[in-house]
């Protein structure tokens, strides 16, 4: 398990990847060629993966992301140390904040 700021990255066994993932649309890379896991709304900084791979968003308002890095990758952010990810599948979960009566994603 890996954490970078408000992003948690949890390894997922190949056999636990949902079957619908094969047909799911992939998230686009940003202008710098990165897979953005979370964008800082205030700072513009991003938790992002560099290297080959795919990022898929599961349905729902807080739907987690599934990340596949077939050759491994690096999670980078302007204010955090980079994290090396071994090849494989990961579930990316944004930290949530409880606000009485609701839940919201934490914003940078």
């Amino acid at each position: 398990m890996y954490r970078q700021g408000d992003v948690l990255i949890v390894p997922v066994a190949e056999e636990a990847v949902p079957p619908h993932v094969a047909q799911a649309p992939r998230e686009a890379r940003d202008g710098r060629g990165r897979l953005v896991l979370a964008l800082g709304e205030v700072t513009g900084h991003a938790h992002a993966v560099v290297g080959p791979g795919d990022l898929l968003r599961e349905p729902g308002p807080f739907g987690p992301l599934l990340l596949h890095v077939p050759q491994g990758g690096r999670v980078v952010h302007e204010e955090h140390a980079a994290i090396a990810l071994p090849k494989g599948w990961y579930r990316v979960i944004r930290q949530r904040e409880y606000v009485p009566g609701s839940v919201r994603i934490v914003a940078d």
Side-chain angles (χ1 to χ4, degrees):
M1 200 171 346
Y2 307 88
R3 176 172 292 283
Q4 189 184 68
D6 59 350
V7 174
L8 179 65
I9 303 167
V10 181
V12 175
E14 181 88 30
E15 58 274 6
V17 175
H20 71 271
V21 166
Q23 290 79 32
R26 277 38 182 172
E27 293 283 309
R29 291 180 179 267
D30 72 356
R32 295 164 58 184
R34 308 172 304 170
L35 295 169
V36 176
L37 307 178
L39 183 62
E41 295 83 1
V42 176
T43 64
H45 296 162
H47 298 277
V49 174
V50 293
D54 290 306
L55 186 62
L56 306 98
R57 185 173 308 277
E58 293 199 298
F62 301 116
L65 299 169
L66 284 174
L67 171 67
H68 183 230
V69 284
Q71 300 170 11
R74 284 184 39 238
V75 183
V76 297
H77 186 278
E78 293 82 351
E79 297 173 340
H80 299 281
I83 297 173
L85 295 177
K87 67 180 180 177
W89 284 92
Y90 298 88
R91 184 169 305 281
V92 180
I93 304 165
R94 293 281 308 271
Q95 183 172 336
R96 296 178 187 120
E97 179 176 56
Y98 174 74
V99 178
S102 69
V103 175
R104 73 178 186 96
I105 298 291
V106 172
D108 280 345

